[in-house]
Amino acid sequence: EVQLVESGGGFAQPGGSLRLSCVASGFNFQSVDMTWIRQAPGKEIEWVSSIHSGGVAKYIDDSVKGRFAISRDNAKNTLFLQMNSLKSEDTATYYCVKGWGPYGTRGRGTQVTVSS
């Protein structure tokens, strides 16, 4: 059974940082591309970033380019999203997704709230 468990969300002030983690199990993590998406209340899902199974090829949305960085530790079956220079518009529930793109199996998410 595929399981994805996100953590690391919480409250941050504008300009602050958070690091999200996603621990994967139930599949061969090191062979699978992975993705972060987010969804704010009342808004559509936003594709934030993806990373190739080998960790080299990456996609990052223009809205977070230069502020967010995706990475992975295949030895620990863990996906990361380092979020810096946070803005109020980054407030959302963040999900990790199995595969490249926003439509695969996802975890339950972790809430990120950016507010002063």
Side-chain angles (χ1 to χ4, degrees):
E1 177 189 2
V2 172
Q3 287 197 328
L4 300 165
V5 180
E6 301 93 340
S7 63
F11 289 90
Q13 292 188 335
S17 297
L18 288 172
R19 190 191 196 203
L20 306 185
S21 299
C22 171
V23 178
S25 61
F27 63 99
N28 189 6
F29 178 81
Q30 63 184 0
S31 298
V32 176
D33 302 339
M34 295 293 295
T35 293
W36 286 102
I37 62 172
R38 67 186 181 185
Q39 189 168 28
K43 295 189 177 181
E44 294 186 353
I45 288 171
E46 185 177 7
W47 182 3
V48 176
S49 187
S50 292
I51 185 168
H52 187 263
S53 59
V56 176
K58 300 176 184 178
Y59 161 82
I60 190 149
D61 188 73
D62 286 343
S63 66
V64 302
K65 195 167 291 182
R67 302 187 297 119
F68 290 11
I70 191 170
S71 62
R72 64 192 296 160
D73 184 340
N74 284 345
K76 295 183 178 180
N77 286 4
T78 303
L79 177 72
F80 301 101
L81 186 68
Q82 178 66 45
M83 306 188 297
N84 299 325
S85 302
L86 284 163
K87 304 176 180 180
S88 58
E89 52 261 46
D90 296 320
T91 295
T93 301
Y94 285 71
Y95 303 87
C96 67
V97 179
K98 178 177 177 282
W100 187 278
Y103 302 116
T105 301
R106 70 174 76 164
R108 292 188 174 184
T110 186
Q111 176 67 37
V112 171
T113 302
V114 183
S115 175
S116 56

